[in-house]
Amino acid sequence: MPNTNIPVITIDGPTASGKGTVAQKVADRLGFHLLDSGALYRLTALSALRRGTDMRDEHALAKVAEHLNVRFNGGHIYLGTEEVGNAIRAEDVGNTASKIAALPAVRQALYGLQLSFRETPGLVADGRDMGTVIFPGAQLKVFLTASVEARAQRRYKQLIDKGFSANMDDLLADLQARDARDTQRAVAPLVPAEGAHILDTSQMTADKAVEQVLAWYAHS
Ligand code: DC
């Protein structure tokens, strides 16, 4: 049974809001574990794309999610023995992840795996439904957001830095489509959890956001 006394900080928000960076830094500062829940949806997408799974077959996709052979180790992500940290960041994988994340059976298949990350001394969990569905009793809930233009700029830089090609107009359109899917889906839509602190990082560095989250946590 997951220990519900272990502290959890949830950081939810839209794609490219900077929550991954902020969550990692907050976890480092507190010596907490990190759950990058988006990576689980991306890993499921990558695995399904590679197997040629029918993207309309919810049951088959849930099976892929249930049998993910994933390992997180020192900032690296392994699928089986292969390091896939960069592969899962590709735009087609992100788009597929956003589509399959709308399927209830896929979300259900990843539920237990997400709970298992709650280990001492604590957990920082980043995603879309960390505060609303997975860890509703979290000690601190943060909703991190930023304008779509600021997020497109960040995604552009991330992709170029990783050696992918990128086009600003395509990125903006992709982000808007993904926001619409993530916020309008019937199951676990992206909404701030009740009691969440809202943090708009459009004009804020990641370090400033980290300080704010740590200050909230100290007073939680
Ligand atoms: O945070 P990210 O961009 O890596 O997430 C990839 C996709 O996974 C995103 O489009 C929505 C989905 N996702 C989700 O539905 N629930 C989560 N807790 C995390 C991600």
Side-chain angles (χ1 to χ4, degrees):
M1 275 297 283
N3 187 341
T4 48
N5 293 324
I6 298 172
V8 178
I9 299 174
T10 60
I11 304 185
D12 289 306
T15 284
S17 56
K19 65 191 157 41
T21 309
V22 173
Q24 175 77 66
K25 288 183 179 225
V26 170
D28 288 347
R29 288 276 293 272
L30 295 170
F32 280 13
H33 299 279
L34 177 71
L35 165 59
D36 172 2
S37 62
L40 301 181
Y41 290 93
R42 288 172 179 272
L43 285 158
T44 304
L46 180 67
S47 198
L49 284 168
R50 286 183 173 177
R51 288 163 190 231
T53 309
D54 181 352
M55 293 296 168
R56 292 158 306 184
D57 187 343
E58 180 168 355
H59 181 71
L61 290 165
K63 278 261 167 293
V64 173
E66 214 171 295
H67 295 109
L68 272 187
N69 182 8
V70 56
R71 196 164 50 87
F72 291 85
N73 192 349
H76 292 285
I77 305 176
Y78 296 88
L79 199 54
T81 54
E82 185 191 351
E83 213 284 329
V84 291
N86 280 341
I88 62 165
R89 299 288 150 208
E91 284 303 289
D92 65 325
V93 177
N95 275 322
T96 304
S98 166
K99 286 178 191 150
I100 65 172
L103 304 173
V106 170
R107 306 198 71 84
Q108 186 57 39
L110 293 173
Y111 181 70
L113 177 59
Q114 293 178 84
L115 292 188
S116 72
F117 281 77
R118 190 174 196 166
E119 290 191 86
T120 49
L123 176 69
V124 179
D126 112 55
R128 304 291 187 290
D129 62 341
M130 297 296 97
T132 49
V133 176
I134 309 294
F135 302 109
Q139 188 160 343
L140 173 67
K141 299 179 185 182
V142 178
F143 192 83
L144 210 81
T145 185
S147 69
V148 72
E149 292 79 14
R151 291 186 285 127
Q153 288 280 0
R154 286 177 195 165
R155 182 49 57 89
Y156 182 85
K157 187 169 179 309
Q158 258 175 17
L159 288 169
I160 298 295
D161 286 352
K162 289 194 167 155
F164 291 111
S165 64
N167 170 294
M168 219 24 209
D169 290 341
D170 291 349
L171 281 176
L172 264 174
D174 263 13
L175 280 181
Q176 279 159 339
R178 211 179 296 183
D179 282 355
R181 262 200 308 271
D182 290 350
T183 52
Q184 287 160 25
R185 68 183 177 216
V187 223
L190 174 66
V191 281
E194 211 181 307
H197 294 267
I198 313 267
L199 189 57
D200 186 326
T201 66
S202 303
Q203 312 283 340
M204 197 183 273
T205 62
D207 286 333
K208 190 93 192 295
V210 170
E211 293 310 325
Q212 177 63 75
V213 174
L214 290 171
W216 280 329
Y217 183 63
H219 292 104
S220 66

